[in-house]
Amino acid sequence: MVTKRIIPCLDVKDGRVVKGVNFAGLRDVSNPVELAKFYSDGGADELVFYDITASSEGRALFTDILKKTAAEVFIPLTVGGGINTLSDFDRVLKCGADKVSVNSGAIRNPGLIAEAAKRYGDQCVVISADVKRVDGVFRVFAKGGRENTGMEAIEWIKRCVGNGAGEVVLNSIDTDGVKKGFDLEMLDMVSRAVSVPVIASGGAGNMEHFTELFKALPLVDAGLAASIFHFGEVDIGTLKAKLKNDGINVRI
């Protein structure tokens, strides 16, 4: 039985962890270095670090904070934000990342995923897809959810995996920060469309939502959340104990 992963997400803006609702209304949370250490020590399986305004501001990711964060983390670290070239992959990996997440950069240059997978291996390349329903169709959004690309999401994700992405983080803009549960419909379609691990992101509001996710969609590999962990609403150790009690295989 595949071990399900619990992954906190650090959305970093101007050197601070922030959180909003539906990708908007950001508020300050904490220092990313301190928070990363807290999660690494507290039972998280992996950690995701997004520089959430790097793409929209047209700049490179903050490497100084990333280096300090990576130094405190002893679990796999995925990093994204402003990843547009192979040199960006190289720079982030040298700062301590284990995997590199690409979104807007792959939309601008669809060949980037294949180039990165060839150089660093599929396991290193993560496609992060920000997806929202538009007139009943799942559409891919770029620049931190600010720009509708017009592309249909399922086909885009399949294309990225076909080009060498070894993992998918599916961010549902519709459920982000709403805390009413993961977007099961969207996740079901994506997890059945690809053969690589899929990480559910957006919508977790309590521990039961994780049980619901893994019971309803056994093909989903991990649950990612931010605010419920950041604000102490859910403790990762307690969550994992509950999942284990619910018959879901997790690392305790």
Side-chain angles (χ1 to χ4, degrees):
M1 188 186 298
V2 175
T3 302
K4 302 301 184 183
R5 293 171 287 155
I6 302 300
I7 306 174
C9 178
L10 307 183
D11 292 324
V12 180
K13 180 178 187 289
D14 299 327
R16 297 285 295 177
V17 177
V18 296
K19 192 67 189 93
V21 177
N22 303 129
F23 282 36
L26 302 176
R27 60 173 166 149
D28 186 85
V29 176
S30 182
N31 177 299
V33 181
E34 295 172 0
L35 203 53
K37 185 179 189 314
F38 172 79
Y39 289 136
S40 182
D41 294 343
D45 294 297
E46 298 188 15
L47 190 66
V48 169
F49 178 112
Y50 287 138
D51 185 339
I52 61 171
T53 57
S55 290
S56 63
E57 294 172 2
R59 59 165 173 79
L61 184 143
F62 291 125
T63 52
D64 54 341
I65 294 172
L66 175 56
K67 286 179 182 176
K68 292 175 184 175
T69 301
E72 298 291 344
V73 170
F74 299 99
I75 53 178
L77 175 63
T78 298
V79 176
I83 306 297
N84 295 298
T85 64
L86 282 184
S87 63
D88 290 328
F89 270 83
D90 191 60
R91 181 168 51 85
V92 168
L93 291 169
K94 285 178 178 174
C95 285
D98 299 285
K99 294 182 276 188
V100 181
S101 176
V102 60
N103 183 348
S104 296
I107 293 168
R108 277 190 293 271
N109 173 18
L112 178 61
I113 288 176
E115 294 168 9
K118 183 177 180 180
R119 179 173 294 186
Y120 302 109
D122 292 13
Q123 80 289 339
C124 182
V125 182
V126 179
I127 178 64
S128 176
D130 296 337
V131 181
K132 183 177 181 178
R133 292 167 180 78
V134 179
D135 297 327
V137 178
F138 293 128
R139 298 293 184 191
V140 178
F141 277 66
K143 297 183 179 178
R146 296 169 180 83
E147 181 181 289
N148 183 357
T149 67
M151 292 191 297
E152 195 279 324
I154 309 302
E155 289 305 313
W156 165 247
I157 292 168
K158 286 170 62 177
R159 178 181 172 187
C160 291
V161 170
N163 285 341
E167 192 167 69
V168 176
V169 176
L170 182 64
N171 308 303
S172 171
I173 298 175
D174 294 322
T175 61
D176 174 70
V178 179
K179 300 185 179 180
K180 294 293 176 67
F182 290 99
D183 197 327
L184 299 182
E185 179 192 17
M186 188 185 293
L187 285 159
D188 182 43
M189 291 183 68
V190 171
S191 62
R192 286 190 286 109
V194 299
S195 58
V196 300
V198 173
I199 298 172
S201 172
N206 56 49
M207 292 191 288
E208 196 59 45
H209 288 152
F210 287 87
T211 297
E212 178 185 54
L213 170 70
F214 295 131
K215 290 279 191 183
L217 303 177
L219 291 177
V220 170
D221 290 79
L224 180 150
S227 59
I228 59 167
F229 297 142
H230 297 344
F231 299 122
E233 296 165 38
V234 171
D235 172 75
I236 290 176
T238 305
L239 169 60
K240 285 187 159 187
K242 172 182 166 43
L243 290 172
K244 187 177 180 68
N245 190 57
D246 289 342
I248 295 162
N249 191 30
V250 293
R251 179 183 66 85
I252 300 293

